[in-house]
Amino acid sequence: MSLSRLFTLIILAALVGLQFISSVAGHTAMWHPSMYGFNVTDQTFPYDNRPVSPLTNFTFSQWWFHGHLCFPPNEGDIFDLPAGQPATTELACNKGATSFFASSEGGDIRTSNPNDVCPNSGTDAFHTKGFEDLTGCALAIAYNSDATQVQPEDFTVFSVNQTCVWTRFTDFQVPAKMPPCPAGGCTCAFFWIHSPDSGGEQNYMNGFKCNVTGTTSTVPVAAPKVARRCGADSANGKWHASPGNCTYGAKLPLYWFQAERNNMFEDTYAPPFYTDLYEFRDGPQDDIFEDSYLFLPDPSPTAPLPVLNTTASTSSTRRRSASKQRHWKSRVSF
Ligand SMILES: *[C@@H]1O[C@H](CO)[C@@H](O)[C@H](O)[C@H]1NC(C)=O
Ligand SMILES: *[C@@H]1O[C@H](CO)[C@@H](O)[C@H](O)[C@H]1NC(C)=O
Ligand SMILES: *[C@@H]1O[C@H](CO)[C@@H](O)[C@H](O)[C@H]1NC(C)=O
Ligand SMILES: *[C@@H]1O[C@H](CO)[C@@H](O)[C@H](O)[C@H]1NC(C)=O
Ligand SMILES: *[C@@H]1O[C@H](CO)[C@@H](O)[C@H](O)[C@H]1NC(C)=O
Ligand SMILES: *[C@@H]1O[C@H](CO)[C@@H](O)[C@H](O)[C@H]1NC(C)=O
């Protein structure tokens, strides 16, 4: 290796180190006593595996449930998902910045702003350059009360907040048609991948015990499929959406940039997101049920568009389908 190349490497290493130090307090987790790893500190594992630590290039047992399956919640701690209503989560870079500060190593670090995700840090601490740069988070559910049995293929994204992680209290709308969970409840997880201009290839996953309440439907969630990149993507020179290319209906979370069991293979500069880019609409995913579609073709850039079962859909999917038809018509006339 030449001397100049060695110097370049040293400088690069120093820069990476600096970035790590400045952002180490800033990563974000969903905090709740129903989560796996609620009390995991930076001392629990041989490496810093706090719930807020990002997951990149990890083995399956390291990234799945954040490696926290052996740190289950206490009996009875469960996160309620009221069908047809918002579920409010608390997202923060430190447990001390949430309502659950009492069991945090550093105690209460909340500020006068109740929505402070990361007290005493800039927004880059939670990986965004600003509101326009937000890339969305998702909640997914598996209808199985035994988290140790849940596999990546079992999770369906049921709610998205595209303006996550802007505020500590973040609402996720629960689809009105969510069916009841089995005895013992369901298993859920929070997922987030941030924008590429505010840090590296970082995935976030926190698992928790959940339960759907106030149900009015028993139609099961359909088998989830892999999401596809189909929205307009001006950052990568793609000016028009490709609606036939979208996966509609029940979709898996985005598993990206781990050493094992990825379902997304996008490169560093074009991460997959929980946004329209992958047909993850903002709010409840109302079209994830077995009876949601009358016609659901395999997606491809030239595939025909699916047809919603309007008898089965809720008013929000009907509205969405009407606005989409307008959008598609205007596209067809190009
Ligand atoms: C992932 O980890 C392996 C083994 O530690 C390493 O060889 C590889 O370079 C890493 N890949 C990335 C993209 O960081
Ligand atoms: C977390 O720690 C608090 C305080 O020590 C304790 O009361 C609680 O039971 C612990 N929860 C779990 C899931 O270990
Ligand atoms: C996202 O969360 C924010 C903050 O709680 C909330 O104001 C907004 O309505 C949520 N968006 C959706 C689509 O639920
Ligand atoms: C889940 O919610 C239903 C409806 O409220 C309730 O009957 C059931 O006991 C709950 N299950 C758990 C494990 O809390
Ligand atoms: C269609 O989706 C695939 C899978 O995500 C993606 O690789 C491809 O670029 C997309 N094509 C178009 C035209 O959107
Ligand atoms: C459409 O929805 C209705 C109401 O849930 C249901 O009875 C019917 O079987 C659905 N059609 C299809 C093709 O799934």
Side-chain angles (χ1 to χ4, degrees):
M1 184 183 314
S2 76
L3 208 55
S4 69
R5 190 165 150 72
L6 185 65
F7 277 128
T8 312
L9 274 181
I10 290 170
I11 288 166
L12 270 179
L15 282 175
V16 169
L18 273 179
Q19 195 200 348
F20 181 72
I21 290 163
S22 70
S23 67
V24 77
H27 311 307
T28 300
M30 176 185 147
W31 294 97
H32 192 264
S34 62
M35 74 195 279
Y36 289 77
F38 185 61
N39 285 338
V40 167
T41 69
D42 58 353
Q43 305 297 310
T44 312
F45 283 73
Y47 57 100
D48 180 1
N49 196 31
R50 289 169 304 152
V52 298
S53 298
L55 309 165
T56 307
N57 198 23
F58 276 173
T59 62
F60 182 62
S61 62
Q62 278 181 305
W63 72 262
W64 186 239
F65 281 75
H66 216 296
H68 290 162
L69 279 170
C70 295
F71 301 87
N74 289 329
E75 191 62 37
D77 281 334
I78 197 149
F79 191 90
D80 280 342
L81 302 169
Q85 289 172 51
T88 303
T89 58
E90 285 195 52
L91 312 178
C93 69
N94 186 293
K95 188 162 50 166
T98 72
S99 308
F100 316 110
F101 62 82
S103 58
S104 175
E105 319 92 282
D108 190 358
I109 61 161
R110 292 172 304 166
T111 63
S112 57
N113 169 10
N115 268 318
D116 205 339
V117 173
C118 200
N120 309 314
S121 319
T123 60
D124 56 336
F126 45 96
H127 300 289
T128 172
K129 299 274 183 232
F131 197 76
E132 294 306 312
D133 198 35
L134 298 167
T135 51
C137 308
L139 297 186
I141 191 166
Y143 276 76
N144 187 336
S145 57
D146 184 355
T148 65
Q149 296 301 308
V150 173
Q151 296 298 306
E153 296 71 30
D154 299 332
F155 271 130
T156 299
V157 171
F158 67 91
S159 190
V160 165
N161 190 311
Q162 292 187 352
T163 49
C164 172
V165 294
W166 194 245
T167 50
R168 162 157 74 112
F169 292 103
T170 296
D171 284 352
F172 287 88
Q173 313 295 324
V174 181
K177 287 193 56 181
M178 295 290 279
C181 291
C186 286
T187 300
C188 284
F190 163 82
F191 292 93
W192 173 45
I193 297 173
H194 59 68
S195 106
D197 42 341
S198 38
E201 305 83 6
Q202 296 173 344
N203 293 274
Y204 293 80
M205 173 181 191
N206 303 112
F208 57 101
K209 269 187 192 289
C210 58
N211 188 30
V212 184
T213 59
T215 55
T216 56
S217 171
T218 54
V219 178
V221 169
K225 298 188 186 131
V226 174
R228 290 166 63 90
R229 199 173 183 101
C230 64
D233 184 16
S234 55
N236 288 288
K238 190 173 168 227
W239 304 102
H240 300 291
S242 181
N245 202 37
C246 299
T247 301
Y248 295 93
K251 288 186 280 302
L252 292 160
L254 306 164
Y255 307 130
W256 179 66
F257 240 96
Q258 304 302 340
E260 297 175 324
R261 297 190 72 171
N262 294 313
N263 64 6
M264 291 287 133
F265 303 93
E266 280 75 348
D267 75 21
T268 308
Y269 301 105
F273 297 133
Y274 297 99
T275 65
D276 291 7
L277 187 57
Y278 285 77
E279 187 56 21
F280 286 113
R281 299 291 165 140
D282 203 12
Q285 309 295 292
D286 281 324
D287 66 343
I288 59 175
F289 307 101
E290 282 183 353
D291 65 355
S292 294
Y293 285 94
L294 296 176
F295 173 60
L296 189 56
D298 285 340
S300 83
T302 55
L305 297 175
V307 179
L308 271 172
N309 181 359
T310 47
T311 322
S313 63
T314 57
S315 52
S316 85
T317 42
R318 274 202 296 276
R319 266 200 310 280
R320 175 195 295 180
S321 120
S323 79
K324 207 180 266 171
Q325 292 300 345
R326 277 197 297 280
H327 173 68
W328 287 335
K329 277 206 191 94
S330 66
R331 186 178 173 273
V332 167
S333 67
F334 275 127

